[in-house]
Amino acid sequence: MKIALHHTEDAHPDSFSRKWIENLNNRGIEPLVLDFRKSDTARKILGSDGAMWHWLHVPDDKQSAPKILDALEFGMGLPVFPNKQTRWHYDEKISQHYLFDAIKAPKIKTWIFWDKQSAFEFIESAQFPLVFKLSVGAGSANVLKLEQRSEALHLIDIMFGDGFTPYTINEFEQKMETIFPSFVQRLKDSANYLLKRRWPVVPAKPLHWYYLIQKNYVYFQEFLPNNRNDTRVTVIGDKIFAYLRYNRDGDFRASGSGKLEYSRKLIPENALQTAWQISNENHFQSMAYDFLIASDNNLALSEISYCYVPRLVYDCGGYWDKELRWHDGAIWPQDAILEDFINTLGKH
């Protein structure tokens, strides 16, 4: 058996590929470690039994990984992780909204508008507070609670104007000040260019380390006030992991709070069942689900993601199977993903 892995020396510390390489070597299976972004990838992977790439929610990966994995999966007929069902909606809340409706998943009420006039008309009769989100982002970034109509109208103007550079609209704003060139420096660079022509091209615009500008849509969600936490359920093959994430102090958001609870008796059983059912019916290889409780006391799905912080899943200390029987023993999610992927290869 030969499995190709995308891995580079500068891979993120939490990249799943590190564990995959270690696991395969321990199994006596030599991994084919490549940079899938090279132009000769298909030729080098030829003859492999499968290919795996833990790609992240950053512009470079979002631009390259889907294209290359599509070629491997559909052009070569190669089993890949993540497969198309698992990856096409990753880090795109708008895609997830339409997916949830299509598969009739229980979800938070969501309104998406692709033109300014429709968004304005909605706001005239909308109930506040409302939650505003960009389609991209993790860790509660790019999420705002709107208390009044004027705030929503202002955001609509921006979204159908210049748009937002993600990670600059809430608590991450100060962090970004260290990443963007200062305004004064920009003026100096521009003056140098105009007066002395020291560059062959105009000075670069301030670069953003994470995302491209978001514009020409608006995404609103119903605000659910009676939630002190959300429930994070992760399904990998036949294994189900879960824990609670409590809201940040004085805030309505739980993602990225670091305030976790692993007590199994506090995990809603219907969240485990629902997550397993969605993953099973839609052929998701790995998926994390964020559940809240709606005003009618039913589950409401907020977002999903095929990847996550591995340590938080490992710290569950065990997992439920599809019959909701508990199994003791911490497992790294990367190992669970690899095991499930290898088992799937045996069926091809």
Side-chain angles (χ1 to χ4, degrees), residues 84 94 99 119 126-127 133 137-138 150 216 220 243 291 294 313 316 321 342:
K84 186 73 169 184
I94 289 178
L99 172 64
Q127 298 295 310
K133 295 183 177 182
S150 61
N216 296 332
F220 294 117
Y243 53 90
F291 290 105
V313 175
C316 289
D321 60 28
I342 290 174

Side-chain angles (χ1 to χ4, degrees), residues 135-151:
S135 186
V136 298
S140 290
N142 313 322
V143 177
L144 298 172
K145 179 184 174 185
L146 309 181
E147 299 287 357
Q148 52 192 357
R149 188 165 286 106
S150 61
E151 295 175 315

Side-chain angles (χ1 to χ4, degrees), residues 231-243 267 272 275 287 289 308 312-320 326 329-333 336:
T231 301
R232 164 60 69 94
V233 181
T234 303
V235 180
I236 304 170
D238 289 338
K239 297 178 175 63
I240 310 170
F241 308 83
Y243 53 90
I267 305 297
L272 303 176
M287 197 62 65
Y289 300 82
Y308 28 76
L312 304 186
V313 175
Y314 179 84
D315 286 345
C316 289
Y319 64 91
W320 289 269
W326 175 258
I331 296 178
W332 286 104

Side-chain angles (χ1 to χ4, degrees), residues 35-53:
D35 182 346
F36 285 11
R37 296 168 300 182
K38 301 294 185 182
S39 57
D40 58 353
T41 292
R43 178 180 61 80
K44 288 185 175 179
I45 287 180
L46 194 65
S48 297
D49 297 288
M52 306 178 74
W53 183 351

Side-chain angles (χ1 to χ4, degrees), residues 99-112:
L99 172 64
F100 296 164
D101 276 353
I103 64 176
K104 299 180 180 179
K107 69 180 185 68
I108 301 174
K109 288 182 182 178
T110 302
W111 301 271
I112 294 171

Side-chain angles (χ1 to χ4, degrees), residues 267-279:
I267 305 297
E269 189 172 280
N270 58 344
L272 303 176
Q273 293 170 328
T274 300
W276 158 254
Q277 181 179 354
I278 293 174
S279 277

